[in-house]
Amino acid sequence: MKFLAITLIPHTPDPATGQPKPTRERFREVVENAVLAEELGFDGFGVGERHERPFISSSPPVLLGHLAARTSRIRLFTAVTTLSLLDPVRAYEDYATLDHLSDGRLDLIIGKGNGTAQRELFDVSPEDQWDRNAESYELFRRLWREPKVTYKPRYRPELTEAEVWPRPLQQPVRVWHGSATSERSADLAARYGDPLFSANVTNPIEPYAALVRHYRERWAHYGHDPALATVGAGSAGYYAARTSQQALAVYRPLFERQLAHTPEPVFTTLEDFVERSSALIGSPQQIVEKVHRYHEQLGHSVLHIRAEASGLTDTQHRDSLELFQGEIAPALRHSLPDPPWPWSPAVPAPEEQP
């Protein structure tokens, strides 16, 4: 199994001061968390994309480009790239450039995105966001693979023998499809033979497991080898300590602050959150056992945990991540499978000159 640390870069009041940290300091925290993730042995670091409060993750290519310069081994993920909001030609240019800057360490997780404010910002309706996502991905996919593209889309000007530069380093970049609530993302991933990344954070496991089953069914329907269907999964929270009592005591105030700002919470107590959500909170052995229980239903080979948790001290944060890489990850790497492909950078595409 492979492990990612991810952040959506929420910019919320610091529990210690009641005020948000300066934006520059918040970005620096993200950079240092990525460097720490590589130092500790995580396999990937992901940055979300949001275009509304309270997040400041509106420009993943810029931030990931900086992380590419600050790291050398860890793979860099988007989590997710909101293709339903973006011009796929511009997105291709950004990520093809980033692919070179990262020496072929780029993976994309794409999705339609969510949130009323960001849909209104980009003039995307709830009714057309799925079609925009599928169309943008088809064009993005072709641009990555073909030197010249002719295409007549609905949502952007048509292309005729268009050449878009630079050509990417990886041929092709790996694209995961983020899936949270709809079968349409799962079907799109299965149709193209791409991996699926289940959000797996808001509800108990049952709806996510149903979407993963649908993905595997559609994967077989489209004629792909069932052994190559690949699933990643998120987690709703993470904190490990030597005992479950210690972990619960530290995490309880974090959960209670989160609960106070959740209008209709699915989990109303920390104990219920730990028991029925995908949150990984407890001793190393408890967390290993819980990941195994989820794996029985999801069959996932990649797991993400949050790169940060507002309210933890720097020492608590680092100690918990060290415990993950020192005891939890080795046990899971030994007992659960990796994705069915090499994790190292893909073979570069042949260089093409303008």
Side-chain angles (χ1 to χ4, degrees):
M1 180 170 267
K2 300 295 186 183
F3 303 100
L4 315 181
I6 75 157
T7 178
L8 301 180
I9 324 184
H11 194 211
T12 53
D14 186 302
T17 66
Q19 298 295 322
K21 295 179 180 179
T23 301
R24 183 173 65 167
E25 182 178 340
R26 189 70 188 87
F27 280 127
R28 285 177 173 174
E29 284 183 339
V30 173
V31 174
E32 294 310 312
N33 278 326
V35 172
L36 176 62
E38 178 168 270
E39 175 190 330
L40 294 179
F42 280 87
D43 302 291
F45 189 87
V47 174
E49 181 177 334
R50 293 287 194 277
H51 300 273
E52 59 187 340
R53 289 177 180 270
F55 306 100
I56 53 172
S57 50
S58 59
S59 187
V62 176
L63 183 51
L64 289 172
H66 185 66
L67 298 185
R70 290 291 306 274
T71 60
S72 60
R73 177 197 58 79
I74 199 166
R75 291 196 69 81
L76 302 174
F77 280 72
T78 62
V80 300
T81 295
T82 54
L83 272 185
S84 64
L85 308 179
L86 306 178
D87 181 341
V89 175
R90 189 71 182 106
Y92 162 83
E93 292 173 332
D94 286 341
Y95 286 114
T97 301
L98 178 55
D99 194 36
H100 285 277
L101 294 174
S102 65
D103 294 324
R105 291 186 283 138
L106 176 64
D107 275 56
L108 299 179
I109 306 175
I110 69 163
K112 68 171 179 62
N114 55 28
T116 301
Q118 64 180 14
R119 283 199 306 265
E120 291 177 350
L121 187 65
F122 289 91
D123 193 27
V124 172
S125 73
E127 294 73 28
D128 68 18
Q129 60 185 346
W130 289 107
D131 291 337
R132 286 177 179 271
N133 185 63
E135 178 184 283
S136 292
Y137 179 55
E138 181 180 349
L139 178 52
F140 183 93
R141 179 184 176 87
R142 289 187 58 188
L143 290 168
W144 206 278
R145 288 165 171 78
E146 302 172 22
K148 296 182 179 181
V149 173
T150 297
Y151 189 70
K152 189 174 183 178
R154 284 181 61 193
Y155 298 108
R156 75 165 318 278
E158 66 180 283
L159 302 175
T160 303
E161 290 293 289
E163 295 182 287
V164 188
W165 295 92
R167 301 307 302 157
L169 180 62
Q170 296 180 90
Q171 187 60 36
V173 66
R174 182 169 295 111
V175 177
W176 304 67
H177 295 251
S179 169
T181 59
S182 171
E183 292 183 348
R184 295 184 67 168
S185 292
D187 188 83
L188 190 66
R191 185 193 321 166
Y192 286 109
D194 294 330
L196 184 77
F197 215 107
S198 173
N200 193 40
V201 296
T202 305
N203 297 298
I205 192 172
E206 289 78 14
Y208 304 114
L211 286 173
V212 168
R213 289 193 298 271
H214 179 74
Y215 165 69
R216 295 186 188 279
E217 291 165 2
R218 299 304 291 170
W219 179 279
H221 169 81
Y222 288 118
H224 305 303
D225 181 351
L228 299 180
T230 305
V231 175
S235 58
Y238 167 73
Y239 184 72
R242 284 295 167 195
T243 69
S244 60
Q245 293 84 357
Q246 291 173 327
L248 290 173
V250 170
Y251 203 86
R252 189 174 300 278
L254 280 68
F255 175 79
E256 290 176 351
R257 280 195 297 271
Q258 176 182 322
L259 188 64
H261 293 89
T262 304
E264 297 180 5
V266 176
F267 311 102
T268 57
T269 68
L270 176 60
E271 287 71 19
D272 188 37
F273 181 61
V274 172
E275 175 63 27
R276 293 195 305 122
S277 83
S278 61
L280 303 175
I281 299 165
S283 69
Q285 185 58 38
Q286 287 173 315
I287 290 174
V288 168
E289 291 172 358
K290 187 168 189 178
V291 174
H292 273 273
R293 291 198 302 273
Y294 267 71
H295 183 267
E296 289 173 2
Q297 295 200 52
L298 301 179
H300 55 309
S301 54
V302 177
L303 172 70
H304 86 48
I305 68 170
R306 299 294 174 89
E308 57 209 351
S310 177
L312 293 178
T313 67
D314 290 344
T315 299
Q316 288 171 331
H317 174 60
R318 185 178 182 110
D319 287 350
S320 182
L321 292 181
E322 287 180 344
L323 199 54
F324 186 92
Q325 285 297 342
E327 298 186 22
I328 298 167
L332 294 172
R333 291 186 200 279
H334 177 74
S335 56
L336 297 178
D338 284 343
W341 58 69
W343 197 257
S344 56
V347 176
E351 190 70 29
E352 298 181 43
Q353 298 300 323

